[in-house]
């Protein structure tokens, strides 16, 4: 019996092991979906612990699969658990878990990339953006094939404060390939510094919590797995629209081994490209001979702010597409090919 004045901890009744669930429902990880099962409940407990205090919290688990992390989340004493699973083969095993925790689990057979997260939780959980994060968490052992597009989508949601972030600064605890985890948290000067580093760190506090060796998964992936925790910042480090920041950052890293001015050039049409690139870099006070991975967050902020002013003065700049310009040049070059003119530019070969 629980001590007076204390609520008894929630405990799942005896259940088949995850391995037995896999055998019972004849589940097999599909390589084309980059599925890998985590059977060790000590590791699933460790992942869930990184999310923070979950007692009486509302949690969305992405891609629960056979339900290893699901059990650890339920054991943490959550109020409600929303499971979003795309693969119908896992639904019967998850329903077994739902029956073992009456009233706590809601299962959605659907795709997290299209699921409307802004309606996933009770409205009374909403908090102001400036307040502490709401009692809502997103947790998931993500398939490698979906992890990067999904975190980019959620970072855009953070920027616009929609989707799962209509409730406030919802925290996320997610798995990625070790290399992707290193990119998400890479500092200036690191070889792993990338577009993903800037997009994540300008919007969130990003913590690489720990690494799970590949052999802990079934089947064993060729890489180790990083557990990464995200907490949205009250104020983004670059206060410009998501699309503008992404365009500038993507352009800078387009030629990551070259000087940064080479990528920044691709923001501008060929006519006047050099002058505008020099104007942007000089006004932003960025050394054009730095490599993209050497730029600090404040330098990216300066580049975005100055580029925004240039776009305000000439709205055609923002819709300019460097690759489209190259395609048009290629088409023209093809037409001239029979006259002996070059058909493919050096820029096209590099891209």
């Amino acid at each position: 019996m629980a001590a007076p004045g204390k609520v008894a901890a929630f405990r799942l009744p005896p259940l088949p092991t995850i391995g037995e669930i896999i055998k019972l429902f004849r589940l097999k990880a599909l390589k084309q979906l980059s599925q890998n099962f985590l059977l060790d409940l000590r590791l699933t407990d460790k992942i869930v612990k990184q999310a923070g205090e979950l007692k009486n919290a509302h949690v969305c688990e992405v891609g629960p699969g056979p339900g290893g992390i699901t059990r650890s989340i339920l054991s943490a004493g959550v109020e409600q658990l929303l499971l979003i699973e795309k693969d119908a083969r896992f639904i019967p095993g998850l329903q077994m878990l739902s029956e073992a925790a009456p009233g706590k689990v809601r299962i959605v057979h659907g795709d997290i990339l299209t699921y409307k997260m802004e309606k996933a939780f009770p409205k009374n959980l909403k908090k102001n953006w400036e307040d502490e994060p709401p009692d809502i968490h997103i947790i998931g052992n993500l398939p490698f094939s979906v992890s990067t597009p999904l975190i980019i989508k959620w970072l855009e949601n953070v920027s616009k404060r929609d989707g799962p972030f209509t409730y406030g600064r919802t925290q996320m605890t997610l798995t990625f390939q070790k290399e992707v985890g290193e990119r998400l948290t890479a500092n200036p000067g690191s070889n792993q510094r990338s577009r993903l580093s800037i997009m994540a760190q300008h919007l969130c506090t990003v913590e690489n919590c720990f690494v799970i060796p590949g052999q802990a998964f079934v089947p064993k992936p060729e890489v180790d797995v990083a557990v990464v925790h995200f907490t949205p910042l009250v104020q983004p480090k670059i206060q410009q629209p998501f699309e503008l920041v992404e365009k500038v950052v993507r352009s800078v890293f387009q030629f990551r081994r070259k000087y940064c001015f080479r990528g920044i050039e691709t923001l501008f049409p060929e006519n006047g490209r050099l002058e505008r690139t020099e104007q942007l870099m000089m006004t932003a006070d960025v050394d054009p001979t730095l490599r993209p991975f050497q730029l600090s967050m404040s330098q990216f902020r300066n580049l975005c702010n100055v580029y925004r002013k240039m776009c305000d003065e000439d709205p055609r700049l923002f819709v300019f597409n460097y690759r489209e310009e190259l395609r048009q040049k290629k088409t023209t070059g093809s037409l001239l090919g029979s006259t002996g003119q070059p058909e493919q530019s050096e820029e096209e070969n590099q891209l």
Side-chain angles (χ1 to χ4, degrees), residues 58-60 80 82 106 115 117-126 135-138 164 167 170:
H58 288 248
V59 176
C60 171
Q80 287 286 328
L82 169 64
R106 180 158 61 98
Y115 183 73
M117 290 285 284
E118 58 270 17
K119 297 181 180 178
F121 306 103
K123 291 181 179 178
N124 65 298
L125 295 175
K126 287 188 177 183
D135 224 1
I136 295 172
H137 295 261
I138 298 172
Y167 300 89
T170 300

Side-chain angles (χ1 to χ4, degrees), residues 98-142:
S98 177
E99 291 163 7
K104 284 187 175 288
V105 180
R106 180 158 61 98
I107 302 169
V108 172
H109 177 211
D111 188 342
I112 188 61
L113 286 168
T114 56
Y115 183 73
K116 302 295 184 184
M117 290 285 284
E118 58 270 17
K119 297 181 180 178
F121 306 103
K123 291 181 179 178
N124 65 298
L125 295 175
K126 287 188 177 183
K127 287 196 174 184
N128 294 324
W129 195 260
E130 297 74 22
D131 294 342
E132 287 297 304
D135 224 1
I136 295 172
H137 295 261
I138 298 172
I139 299 175
N141 174 29
L142 304 178

